[in-house]
Amino acid sequence: MTVLAPAWRPTVSAPLPLPLLLLLLLSPSLLGTPSCSFPHNPISSNFKDKFNKLSEYLLQDYPVTLAANLQDEQLCGKLWHLVLAQRWMEQLKTVAGLKMQELLEAANTEIHFVTLCAFQPLPSCLRFVQTNISHLLQDTVAQLEAMKHWITRRNFSQCLELRCQPGNSPSAHH
């Protein structure tokens, strides 16, 4: 009788000394902050094709939400829109059939780069308005188009906290 050995064997190693473990846990670079830059362009040359193909199969009046009061910030605004769109793509994949999941994933790969940055939780002052999925996709394509040529030349580290337009207090909209 032949007994097959597993291809991978767990190894037991000595635990890390406490000071070293604390240093690793508290290291900002391991927490994903504060860097948010892209040395290589994460936006493909055919990103529009992926969104157009997705649009062909989606119900154009499928309801989604867009942030209505994001601060109109030159550097960060486009990235913030992509962060919110990427969250929608992930959400839609959870309720889509197999073919739609494939199309959503193809489009999501174009904006997934935003997950490499350690964004803060969404601020409570953000207000969302309901719109159609077609508007979300058009907005996403427009943001990618605007960022494509300068994304590698900027550092987005100051963009890790989404900001609302001034004058929007969280208590005013409850």
Side-chain angles (χ1 to χ4, degrees):
M1 179 166 143
T2 306
V3 177
L4 297 176
W8 174 80
R9 293 183 189 194
T11 58
V12 178
S13 61
L16 291 172
L18 187 58
L20 181 57
L21 182 61
L22 286 174
L23 181 64
L24 288 172
L25 291 174
L26 298 175
S27 171
S29 63
L30 294 177
L31 298 175
T33 56
S35 179
C36 182
S37 60
F38 307 95
H40 304 287
N41 197 328
I43 304 169
S44 74
S45 59
N46 65 339
F47 71 90
K48 287 181 191 175
D49 297 338
K50 295 175 185 178
F51 282 92
N52 288 339
K53 187 163 185 145
L54 175 60
S55 280
E56 290 175 21
Y57 288 91
L58 281 174
L59 297 170
Q60 295 303 301
D61 60 349
Y62 186 85
V64 296
T65 56
L66 290 176
N69 64 332
L70 271 177
Q71 194 174 79
D72 188 21
E73 214 278 344
Q74 181 64 32
L75 176 66
C76 302
K78 291 167 183 32
L79 188 67
W80 292 339
H81 281 270
L82 293 177
V83 166
L84 296 173
Q86 196 278 328
R87 290 177 183 209
W88 260 114
M89 291 293 171
E90 292 295 334
Q91 178 66 31
L92 292 170
K93 285 191 314 186
T94 66
V95 297
L98 186 58
K99 180 64 177 170
M100 187 60 69
Q101 281 180 353
E102 292 172 5
L103 295 169
L104 286 163
E105 185 56 36
N108 191 35
T109 59
E110 295 299 327
I111 55 177
H112 193 263
F113 67 89
V114 300
T115 64
L116 300 174
C117 299
F119 286 93
Q120 300 295 312
L122 296 182
S124 60
C125 60
L126 266 187
R127 285 184 297 121
F128 293 89
V129 292
Q130 187 168 324
T131 188
N132 297 330
I133 186 90
S134 55
H135 294 134
L136 174 69
L137 296 179
Q138 290 167 2
D139 180 66
T140 303
V141 167
Q143 304 305 336
L144 286 168
E145 184 69 38
M147 290 184 76
K148 182 155 181 54
H149 300 291
W150 52 266
I151 190 168
T152 57
R153 296 182 217 141
R154 303 283 167 86
N155 185 324
F156 298 93
S157 299
Q158 72 271 25
C159 302
L160 298 177
E161 183 178 346
L162 280 73
R163 293 185 293 275
C164 301
Q165 291 176 1
N168 288 311
S169 70
S171 59
H173 302 290
H174 288 286

